[in-house]
Amino acid sequence: MAEPMGSASLAIAKLEADPDPNDQSTALLQPSFATRVFTSRQRACSALVFIVMLIITCVSTASAIAFAFLLFRGPNSGSLRLERARPIQNPTVILVSSDGFRFGYQFKTQTPNIDRLTANGTEAEAGMIPVFPTLTFPNHYSIVTGLYPCSHGIISNGFPYGNDTFTMKSHEPKWWLGEPLWETVTKNGLKAATYFWPGSEVKKGNWDCPPSLCKKYDGSIPFEERVDTVLSYFDLPVSDRPVFMTLYFEDPDHQGHKVGPDDPEITEAISMIDKMMGRLIQGLERKGVFEDVTILMVGDHGMVGTCDKKLIFLEDLAPWIEIPHDWVQSYSPLLSIRPPHGISPSEVVAKMREGLSSGKVKNGMYLKVYLKEDLPERLHYSYSDRIPPIVGLIEEAYKVEQKTSKRQECGGAHGYDNEFFSMRTIFIGHGPQFAKSRKVPSFMNVELYNTVTSILKIQGAPNNGTPSFPSTILLPGTWS
């Protein structure tokens, strides 16, 4: 039998059944109006926060998808993309030449990309020394063979020899002696690629200039396309990827000949070269291989301003000796004379010297004439039948011509004695083998062949470079 409820129990039961809103006891048991409003708002806020978070999540997800789409779009889209290349397994060298890049040009304007290579690499502090004559073809071929012109055979940009004539379009192997780097690389069982370089189109030894990796010279191809092609090699399977690549730009040599080394056109050309180096660097970074690849940025020679005021005319030597036009193989900045058979070169030199020193030949003191065997040994320009028997060294910025003319011309030239500072060019090495922010003394460009073979750890061919030179410029333990 249930126990009867007490008064307190009855009161609670009554309140629960019929609450009195004015009773304080009831207020303790039931939420107030304010409390009910607050709770309702709290629920609304929670719902709003949830909706906002949901929207943010959707937007973030969509953005991430869109960004990923942009990153991985095709190579012709022009959009930023991450192109992770296959890992670098073998040491890899990109040899970049900026034709006519006189040492000091890099200080004419802002060059942030070249500066970056310098700051994080090794630089020839006072420039690299070209071989004599300081011309494009002899120097480019010396860089890749380690040989002086008298050894590799390309003694000038053009010259007659025997019943034939060498020109910059001559690709017969008979002209190109020595073993260039692309041949050395393939001889060692590796792959090389050349995007323009004097001699690279010549099929000799085990190098057959493969169409996919050897570009035939075409100056109309934009610099950007050249850079992008070199970058595309890093997308190849590791077994097909070149470990040695060349990249060539005609500037600023093109502008230097027209306007000399101090014109605003030169500044614009240097800015363009810097942009191309930036394009190369950024492309390698996108592929994740920049720090693993070695970049060697070089030039082939310098440039000096010339004007008609600094001319020497061979016709002014007539009182002492006639120098017919057909004796002369080149006038400036390298005077080369090959007299016909039966005429003594030594007698020709003696009479020319007499006239030049007489004080009666305008600017005669600025031309020194030698039998080739008597040239200064430092020029390494004697021991080749291709070199004519008489060579004239012209003072910096002067020119030799056959006859007096009224032509007015001021521009730029190179080809002079490589002892002139104006003929120096640049060297910057960046990569795993080079110390950061290091300056090294000037050196001859024939040292680069051994440097590259040491970086690639391959056997090179005999050359005129110093075998121990790589140890003076590369970090210990990074080469062999």
Side-chain angles (χ1 to χ4, degrees):
M1 184 174 183
E3 194 174 272
M5 290 187 295
S7 59
S9 298
L10 290 172
I12 292 174
K14 183 177 183 301
L15 286 171
E16 289 177 345
D18 187 20
D20 181 0
N22 296 318
D23 192 311
Q24 290 185 357
S25 298
T26 304
L28 290 173
L29 293 173
Q30 293 289 333
S32 66
F33 175 76
T35 301
R36 289 195 301 270
V37 171
F38 175 78
T39 302
S40 177
R41 287 179 177 176
Q42 189 176 39
R43 289 173 181 170
C45 288
S46 297
L48 181 60
V49 169
F50 174 77
I51 293 171
V52 171
M53 292 298 294
L54 182 61
I55 292 172
I56 292 173
T57 301
C58 292
V59 171
S60 299
T61 303
S63 299
I65 293 171
F67 186 65
F69 175 73
L70 290 174
L71 282 175
F72 294 99
R73 288 177 69 183
N76 297 323
S77 67
S79 301
L80 175 66
R81 54 198 168 87
L82 181 62
E83 308 166 341
R84 180 67 62 178
R86 293 173 176 87
I88 297 291
Q89 293 186 349
N90 298 312
T92 302
V93 174
I94 303 176
L95 177 61
V96 184
S97 171
S98 177
D99 199 323
F101 197 119
R102 173 175 166 170
F103 178 77
Y105 275 176
Q106 67 269 38
F107 308 126
K108 282 181 169 291
T109 186
Q110 292 185 347
T111 53
N113 299 295
I114 294 175
D115 293 347
R116 180 179 175 184
L117 293 178
T118 302
N120 294 283
T122 298
E123 178 189 27
E125 187 170 19
M128 186 170 68
I129 304 170
V131 296
F132 177 83
T134 52
L135 298 170
T136 296
F137 269 52
N139 274 276
H140 273 94
Y141 206 53
S142 285
I143 288 170
V144 295
T145 61
L147 299 171
Y148 294 115
C150 62
S151 297
H152 64 53
I154 309 303
I155 62 162
S156 186
N157 286 342
F159 56 91
Y161 181 64
N163 296 321
D164 206 349
T165 299
F166 172 82
T167 72
M168 290 186 283
K169 295 182 179 180
S170 298
H171 302 310
E172 299 84 2
K174 67 178 182 179
W175 297 111
W176 306 84
L177 310 179
E179 184 179 290
L181 280 165
W182 44 84
E183 186 178 345
T184 301
V185 169
T186 54
K187 189 176 181 180
N188 280 268
L190 301 169
K191 293 188 180 296
T194 55
Y195 209 121
F196 304 163
W197 200 279
S200 63
E201 297 178 46
V202 179
K203 297 179 180 181
K204 67 186 290 284
N206 56 349
W207 174 256
D208 62 356
C209 189
S212 62
L213 296 175
C214 173
K215 303 300 180 182
K216 295 186 177 181
Y217 181 72
D218 181 354
S220 68
I221 295 179
F223 289 175
E224 292 85 354
E225 182 176 336
R226 305 180 194 187
V227 173
D228 292 347
T229 300
V230 168
L231 290 171
S232 72
Y233 296 144
F234 290 91
D235 298 328
L236 296 172
V238 174
S239 59
D240 295 331
R241 183 187 300 167
V243 300
F244 174 73
M245 312 171 200
T246 70
L247 179 58
Y248 171 79
F249 303 118
E250 292 87 351
D251 293 348
D253 183 73
H254 175 69
Q255 294 85 356
H257 280 292
K258 291 193 304 180
V259 298
D262 300 314
D263 192 90
E265 278 193 41
I266 294 296
T267 303
E268 294 174 8
I270 296 303
S271 293
M272 174 58 71
I273 294 299
D274 185 72
K275 289 178 182 177
M276 293 304 102
M277 296 309 295
R279 191 180 187 94
L280 178 64
I281 292 169
Q282 291 155 21
L284 293 172
E285 285 182 321
R286 284 197 300 268
K287 296 176 184 296
V289 297
F290 175 58
E291 296 299 336
D292 301 318
V293 173
T294 298
I295 298 175
L296 302 179
M297 184 179 181
V298 302
D300 54 346
H301 54 70
M303 187 71 67
V304 69
T306 59
C307 288
D308 278 341
K309 295 178 181 178
K310 298 182 176 180
L311 290 175
I312 303 160
F313 301 104
L314 293 182
E315 71 171 2
D316 290 346
L317 290 170
W320 295 270
I321 185 172
E322 292 275 354
I323 307 292
H325 175 72
D326 59 4
W327 289 17
V328 183
Q329 292 188 0
S330 67
Y331 287 94
S332 290
L334 174 68
L335 177 63
S336 299
I337 299 175
R338 189 182 292 276
H341 292 293
I343 296 181
S344 168
S346 59
E347 290 183 10
V348 172
V349 168
K351 291 178 180 179
M352 289 183 71
R353 285 178 174 175
E354 184 180 352
L356 292 170
S357 62
S358 68
K360 298 179 181 180
V361 174
K362 182 180 179 181
N363 296 323
M365 73 286 292
Y366 299 115
L367 171 61
K368 306 297 181 187
V369 184
Y370 297 85
L371 291 171
K372 67 177 181 180
E373 57 265 29
D374 295 331
L375 282 166
E377 184 64 27
R378 62 181 174 78
L379 296 177
H380 304 281
Y381 200 67
S382 299
Y383 308 109
S384 173
D385 291 339
R386 299 182 183 187
I387 300 172
I390 300 172
V391 177
L393 299 184
I394 306 169
E395 186 62 35
E396 183 178 26
Y398 282 82
K399 297 170 68 177
V400 173
E401 293 185 0
Q402 185 71 30
K403 295 182 178 181
T404 304
S405 68
K406 295 181 179 180
R407 178 167 50 92
Q408 295 296 314
E409 174 192 335
C410 280
H414 54 89
Y416 298 95
D417 190 335
N418 61 351
E419 194 171 54
F420 297 147
F421 193 82
S422 60
M423 294 297 103
R424 290 196 185 184
T425 185
I426 59 166
F427 169 83
I428 303 169
H430 181 282
Q433 302 84 6
F434 290 97
K436 293 184 177 181
S437 301
R438 184 184 178 196
K439 307 295 183 185
V440 296
S442 298
F443 58 88
M444 293 282 290
N445 64 16
V446 293
E447 305 290 3
L448 291 179
Y449 179 89
N450 288 336
T451 301
V452 173
T453 57
S454 295
I455 292 172
L456 297 179
K457 302 181 180 180
I458 60 177
Q459 181 63 46
N463 60 83
N464 298 130
T466 309
S468 61
F469 177 78
S471 66
T472 69
I473 196 170
L474 302 178
L475 289 170
T478 63
W479 57 279
S480 66

